Amino acid sequence: MDRIRFPVDPWRLTETFYEHGDLGVTETLFSVGNGYLGMRGNVEEGRDSHTHGTFINGFHETWPIQHAEEAYGFAQVGQTIVNAPDTKIMRIYVDDEPLLLSVADLVHYERTLDMRDGVLRREVIWRTPAGNRVRIRSQRMVSFRQRHLAILTYEVTVLDRDVPVVVSSQVLNRQDGLDEFRVKAQASTLNDPRRGQRFEERVLQPTEHWGDDERMMLGYRCTNSRMSLAVGADHAIETENEYKVFTQVEEDHAKHVYRIRAEAGTPITITKAIAYHTSRNVPARELTNRCRRTLDRVREEGIDQQFADQRAWLDAYWERSDVEVEAQPEVQQAVRWNLFQLAQASARAEGNGIPAKGLTGSGYSGHYFWDTEIYVVPYLTYTTPLYARNALRFRYTMLPAAVRRAAELTQHGALFPWRTINGEEASAYYAAGTAQYHIDADVSFAISKYVEATGDDEFMAREGIDILVQTARMWADLGFWRGNGSDSFHIHGVTGPDEYTTVVNDNLFTNVMARFNLRRAAEAVCQLERDWPQEHARMVSRLHLDREEIAEWERAADALAIPYDDNLGIHPQDSHFHEREVWDLPNTPEDKRPLLLNYHPLVIYRFQVLKQADVVLALFLQGEHFTAEEKRADFEYYDPITTGDSSLSGVVQSIIAAEVGYHELALRYFHDSLFVDLGDLHHNSADGVHVASTGGVWGALVHGFGGMRDYGGRISFDPRLPESWPCLTFRLTVRGSRVKVTVRHEEIELENEIGDGLEVTVRGEAVRVPARGPVTVPLAGQGPRIPGEPDASALLGTTRADGTVITASVPHLTGLNG
């Protein structure tokens, strides 16, 4: 990051001067949201933009997927998040001259996202073409306390001489990026599968529009999905200057225009309270009534109360969620920015999932992926369990669609979609999408970890159990028995987390996670019968569960094939992975990365090359089933052939690198993940924040450097503090107790803050954390220390079990003339 432009501050991200060249990135970095409503960091004046964006979680349009060649069971209906009507616009004209930041004479510019109070602030001093200086201060807040509410303030003060000022506060249906003059924003049309779908036809059909000089309201219905939306805005002006108000309300455009005789030194403050409501089945007319109630409540409570509530909410959030890294100011700022993004993506998502980009951009079309359960839900589970419960309950509401999808693929049980908004599979490319059956186990894993960490047996008894049973049924049906000396259970034709290797047999990650899913389902059913007999009886009746199924799950889990290569001494990613040649990553030109944008999938599929950690992720999630020696051997094999083209990869590589001893590499991977958006390291931050990576940053801190593991509900610590860090502090909430964990090079200190305390282990020794007072455990070092990184050429020239030699190469691209 440019530290002149973005100075280091532990609680703020500040931009000290305006740059037009990276608007897409800064719009993402300065977004504000609450998990339900999100606003990109577009400038208030509206014209300078890369991609205008206001998003409501789950508010989407559907469209028919046009396959070049159809086949049975292909996803048929796409889903794309809709760019909601834009309420951020506050255009200003001084002496009839508009402010356009890209060409304006800016005497002063500063924009700050304050992560303690959740407010985006900006101050500009603009010298107009006539030489009159104008100070403009703005504030933007999306409320965590009231999920449907946003507050904007816009203060204008003419500094040198009296002059006419016009402020036009607008609500604009942009129709996927258009402004009121029907001009598109500058966003690129690069053919990148990570970007969102763009609509060519009208999406929002107007149904309501009305207003007066204080309040205006617009209502819409989506053309295909039939979802409805209403947006309302209240305005108030405070000034001693003379002014007039003009109101215009049309179907796609509403505005209050304030014409002011501005006197030098006399401020003008316009406050805009905004309410958004959406629904899958309620007409927009009803939603306008809900907007009225939200806005009326704000009038009664006052604007100041909304900002006070925001600060109080965030004070409580940071009290239980903050991670402190001593003597590392740049790291500290970035850590808090990442944790703040997690709040903005999940806190008020209630009833919806957590999109891959949160509500900061339209990347991945606003879809939910398995990333949520593996990277985000753990953070929520150990800091704010209610948010984790909400995310998992949303998966439960998708279960009927998952059952239908499994039937389409001729499977029993349920198969959750790889990407979706409404529960239906939206991936048109099945090889790297639908074939990722592991999502069933990922969801079940997240549910199990949540219940073990919280003791929320009621959730398991009434909802979670259905997911465990239906996913276990799918695995039992998908796999098959093969006798070869002894019976073994195999799963063929699936894709693991690594999307550069698709539709394979016995993918290791899939198999070890399926094994967990099968065992956990059997265990949960037996526990339910013992502790919640009435709920057990209802579940058996509801799902028509046969006791013989449980025995089959246990038998399949015990016999699941876990690939292992005795010759190389590692776990193959799948049963045929080592038959492929190795992609020579060190000699791959930078302009050919990421591979997915420069090589046809079939080219990539023929090589040993990974988009993201696959076996390494299994080593973390199912770490109790691998020895320390196996973990190191596997990491040393797979790390050199992992491209990191996925933002999900670095955090997991950091965790395992720290565990096995590659401490320098662990820190490097952590920094890459920490700054993936702040530094735009993947060159696509303009499309939105990498939310799963932000969750992974917490995981790298707590699981990697803090050494925390939770296997079977037993919390343990084996820290790996970086040499340059004097101290790392984080908090964990487990079964009603919140424990403050402080890791130093010579000791780990555990102190209970809320609840009755906790039993944990530190490097195998049992430790009781009492309700009051800290307990300190000495540490003899920070585990093994291996300098550098695994040697990428170590295995080249060695032989496989069949006697062939392992070689490495880079596929070449020929020109049109050969």
Side-chain angles (χ1 to χ4, degrees):
M1 296 183 73
D2 179 351
R3 287 305 181 179
I4 297 175
R5 184 181 174 197
F6 301 103
V8 175
D9 184 294
W11 285 104
R12 299 178 182 88
L13 179 66
T14 296
E15 181 185 32
T16 60
F17 58 88
Y18 178 81
E19 284 280 3
H20 191 69
D22 61 354
L23 280 179
V25 175
T26 56
E27 286 168 5
T28 293
L29 299 186
F30 289 97
S31 295
V32 290
N34 63 8
Y36 171 77
L37 167 64
M39 295 179 166
R40 279 177 65 79
N42 306 112
V43 299
E44 284 81 356
E45 293 75 28
R47 298 262 166 74
D48 291 295
S49 71
H50 175 275
T51 309
H52 289 287
T54 301
F55 303 104
I56 312 294
N57 194 351
F59 185 67
H60 68 279
E61 177 63 310
T62 57
W63 44 277
I65 298 175
Q66 301 296 327
H67 296 280
E69 297 182 19
E70 284 284 354
Y72 177 81
F74 278 12
Q76 296 298 313
V77 180
Q79 306 139 42
T80 301
I81 197 168
V82 173
N83 198 349
D86 187 359
T87 54
K88 301 185 296 291
I89 309 164
M90 305 284 277
R91 299 204 194 285
I92 183 171
Y93 305 83
V94 177
D95 205 11
D96 293 334
E97 296 293 335
L99 172 58
L100 189 64
L101 293 184
S102 56
V103 297
D105 181 1
L106 298 179
V107 178
H108 170 75
Y109 173 94
E110 184 173 281
R111 177 166 57 163
T112 297
L113 177 62
D114 192 320
M115 293 171 283
R116 289 177 304 183
D117 60 16
V119 179
L120 177 65
R121 297 180 176 89
R122 191 194 65 176
E123 179 172 294
V124 173
I125 297 180
W126 167 39
R127 183 181 287 110
T128 70
N132 201 352
R133 291 175 305 142
V134 182
R135 183 177 64 226
I136 300 168
R137 292 173 175 158
S138 64
Q139 294 186 118
R140 183 183 304 171
M141 179 192 80
V142 174
S143 174
F144 284 109
R145 188 73 72 186
Q146 299 198 51
R147 71 193 294 248
H148 299 279
L149 177 67
I151 303 287
L152 283 70
T153 65
Y154 199 75
E155 178 192 288
V156 180
T157 307
V158 176
L159 299 179
D160 295 320
R161 57 184 179 274
D162 300 353
V163 68
V165 170
V166 175
V167 177
S168 176
S169 177
Q170 305 183 18
V171 179
L172 174 63
N173 176 21
R174 290 189 177 276
Q175 284 293 269
D176 200 31
L178 302 182
D179 65 17
E180 66 268 40
F181 305 109
R182 318 314 290 165
V183 176
K184 278 188 176 292
Q186 66 165 261
S188 166
T189 57
L190 175 67
N191 184 23
D192 186 335
R194 299 167 295 185
R195 292 180 179 271
Q197 174 78 18
R198 291 190 177 276
F199 298 109
E200 299 300 329
E201 306 298 329
R202 185 178 180 94
V203 174
L204 295 178
Q205 302 294 338
T207 61
E208 306 282 329
H209 64 282
W210 59 265
D212 55 30
D213 286 348
E214 291 185 342
R215 179 173 291 180
M216 47 196 182
M217 200 81 66
L218 300 177
Y220 299 91
R221 186 188 66 246
C222 286
T223 302
N224 298 320
S225 72
R226 313 303 286 176
M227 291 193 73
S228 53
L229 172 145
V231 54
D234 272 3
H235 288 76
I237 182 171
E238 297 179 51
T239 185
E240 295 180 4
N241 296 301
E242 294 183 17
Y243 68 90
K244 293 182 179 179
V245 184
F246 298 88
T247 300
Q248 177 183 346
V249 180
E250 300 173 353
E251 289 183 340
D252 289 318
H253 191 201
K255 59 184 177 182
H256 288 324
V257 179
Y258 297 91
R259 298 180 182 175
I260 308 145
R261 293 182 177 274
E263 298 178 359
T266 304
I268 306 153
T269 302
I270 298 170
T271 301
K272 188 175 187 178
I274 303 152
Y276 287 88
H277 284 265
T278 58
S279 176
R280 294 180 184 270
N281 46 38
V282 171
R285 180 170 296 180
E286 160 63 17
L287 298 182
T288 60
N289 291 331
R290 298 181 188 178
C291 287
R292 284 193 189 97
R293 291 194 290 271
T294 300
L295 296 174
D296 288 347
R297 186 165 57 250
V298 173
R299 281 185 179 180
E300 294 170 3
E301 296 175 352
I303 296 297
D304 290 345
Q305 185 62 49
Q306 311 312 313
F307 286 97
D309 286 348
Q310 184 84 338
R311 178 57 187 255
W313 191 98
L314 279 163
D315 284 346
Y317 174 77
W318 290 115
E319 184 179 346
R320 63 182 182 268
S321 308
D322 193 21
V323 177
E324 300 160 68
V325 183
E326 186 177 312
Q328 299 290 321
E330 292 190 12
V331 169
Q332 184 66 79
Q333 178 189 40
V335 164
R336 286 186 174 133
W337 184 87
N338 277 264
L339 298 183
F340 184 67
Q341 298 310 313
L342 287 165
Q344 294 202 128
S346 65
R348 303 306 306 271
E350 304 149 15
N352 294 292
I354 300 171
K357 296 294 186 182
L359 299 168
T360 63
S362 59
Y364 292 116
S365 299
H367 289 168
Y368 317 129
F369 293 80
W370 65 278
D371 316 358
T372 296
E373 280 75 22
I374 296 302
Y375 294 88
V376 179
V377 169
Y379 164 75
L380 301 176
T381 293
Y382 296 111
T383 57
T384 312
L386 175 61
Y387 303 163
R389 192 181 202 273
N390 288 337
L392 296 171
R393 286 204 74 248
F394 175 70
R395 279 293 185 188
Y396 173 75
T397 67
M398 298 169 68
L399 189 57
V403 171
R404 293 194 299 271
R405 183 60 175 162
E408 284 184 335
L409 272 72
T410 65
Q411 305 297 157
H412 297 317
L415 178 59
F416 285 100
W418 180 61
R419 62 187 298 170
T420 190
I421 296 178
N422 62 13
E424 305 292 338
E425 177 64 83
S427 174
Y429 186 55
Y430 72 87
T434 298
Q436 294 198 41
Y437 284 68
H438 66 84
I439 189 172
D440 267 24
D442 303 335
V443 173
S444 298
F445 179 82
I447 289 172
S448 298
K449 289 292 185 182
Y450 164 77
V451 172
E452 289 168 353
T454 63
D456 189 355
D457 295 328
E458 179 186 359
F459 171 74
M460 176 64 82
R462 295 183 177 176
E463 296 174 338
I465 190 66
D466 286 33
I467 292 177
L468 291 184
V469 167
Q470 294 287 40
T471 52
R473 278 175 166 169
M474 193 281 297
W475 292 120
D477 186 50
L478 178 66
F480 64 95
W481 292 93
R482 175 167 290 171
N484 184 17
S486 61
D487 285 341
S488 59
F489 194 73
H490 297 262
I491 298 172
H492 284 188
V494 299
T495 298
D498 169 35
E499 295 159 22
Y500 284 176
T501 314
T502 66
V503 193
V504 298
N505 296 341
D506 288 327
N507 170 255
L508 180 125
F509 178 88
T510 301
N511 284 18
V512 297
M513 292 297 286
R515 179 176 65 185
F516 170 88
N517 195 164
L518 289 161
R519 285 176 175 165
R520 186 67 181 93
E523 175 188 287
V525 170
C526 294
Q527 184 177 352
L528 188 67
E529 185 176 22
R530 182 180 68 247
D531 299 338
W532 297 68
Q534 189 173 22
E535 291 297 337
H536 176 267
R538 290 174 178 171
M539 180 274 294
V540 169
S541 174
R542 184 168 64 244
L543 302 181
H544 308 291
L545 180 65
D546 191 312
R547 187 173 294 275
E548 292 181 1
E549 290 186 73
I550 303 169
E552 176 71 4
W553 301 343
E554 293 174 326
R555 180 168 171 250
D558 291 341
L560 246 165
I562 306 300
Y564 187 76
D565 187 321
D566 289 308
N567 188 61
L568 295 176
I570 61 170
H571 293 89
Q573 184 167 298
D574 59 74
S575 61
H576 298 289
F577 187 77
H578 290 156
E579 295 176 8
R580 304 178 180 92
E581 294 304 317
V582 174
W583 190 300
D584 189 357
L585 284 178
N587 291 307
T588 301
E590 284 300 318
D591 63 358
K592 298 305 180 188
R593 296 195 179 193
L595 302 188
L596 79 163
L597 298 184
N598 292 284
Y599 295 91
H600 191 283
L602 286 175
V603 175
I604 299 172
Y605 295 163
R606 296 185 184 111
F607 286 80
Q608 290 187 49
V609 64
L610 280 62
K611 182 183 179 188
Q612 65 198 68
D614 193 302
V615 171
V616 174
L617 181 57
L619 300 179
F620 168 52
L621 299 181
Q622 294 292 293
E624 71 269 44
H625 299 295
F626 298 89
T627 67
E629 294 74 19
E630 288 173 335
K631 290 178 183 179
R632 177 174 171 178
D634 286 343
F635 181 80
E636 289 179 339
Y637 187 91
Y638 288 104
D639 186 72
I641 59 173
T642 303
T643 64
D645 288 348
S646 168
S647 64
L648 301 180
S649 197
V651 289
V652 177
Q653 288 168 278
S654 177
I655 291 169
I656 298 301
E659 181 177 351
V660 303
Y662 284 98
H663 59 109
E664 298 166 344
L665 185 59
L667 190 58
R668 194 190 83 197
Y669 278 134
F670 171 73
H671 281 145
D672 288 346
S673 301
L674 185 65
F675 289 97
V676 70
D677 287 311
L678 289 167
D680 193 22
L681 300 185
H682 284 228
H683 309 295
N684 65 345
S685 294
D687 300 326
V689 169
H690 293 80
V691 171
S693 180
T694 66
V697 162
W698 181 87
L701 289 162
V702 172
H703 299 300
F705 303 136
M708 187 278 259
R709 296 293 186 273
D710 181 358
Y711 295 137
R714 296 180 296 275
I715 305 296
S716 64
F717 296 93
D718 188 2
R720 299 289 192 271
L721 191 66
E723 290 181 351
S724 57
W725 293 12
C727 181
L728 169 67
T729 301
F730 56 89
R731 290 159 180 82
L732 298 172
T733 299
V734 179
R735 292 184 175 261
S737 291
R738 189 174 75 211
V739 176
K740 178 183 177 182
V741 182
T742 302
V743 178
R744 303 182 183 91
H745 286 281
E746 69 283 356
E747 65 184 18
I748 180 171
E749 180 182 286
L750 306 164
E751 182 176 7
N752 195 63
E753 295 182 330
I754 293 176
D756 299 328
L758 198 62
E759 292 279 355
V760 303
T761 63
V762 177
R763 293 188 175 167
E765 297 295 326
V767 176
R768 172 66 189 176
V769 184
R772 295 290 178 269
V775 58
T776 301
V777 181
L779 297 174
Q782 295 292 320
R785 294 299 210 201
I786 306 171
E789 58 189 70
D791 183 358
S793 62
L795 288 172
L796 301 183
T798 59
T799 57
R800 302 180 179 88
D802 63 2
T804 57
V805 178
I806 297 175
T807 63
S809 61
V810 180
H812 62 276
L813 295 176
T814 59
L816 293 178
N817 297 323

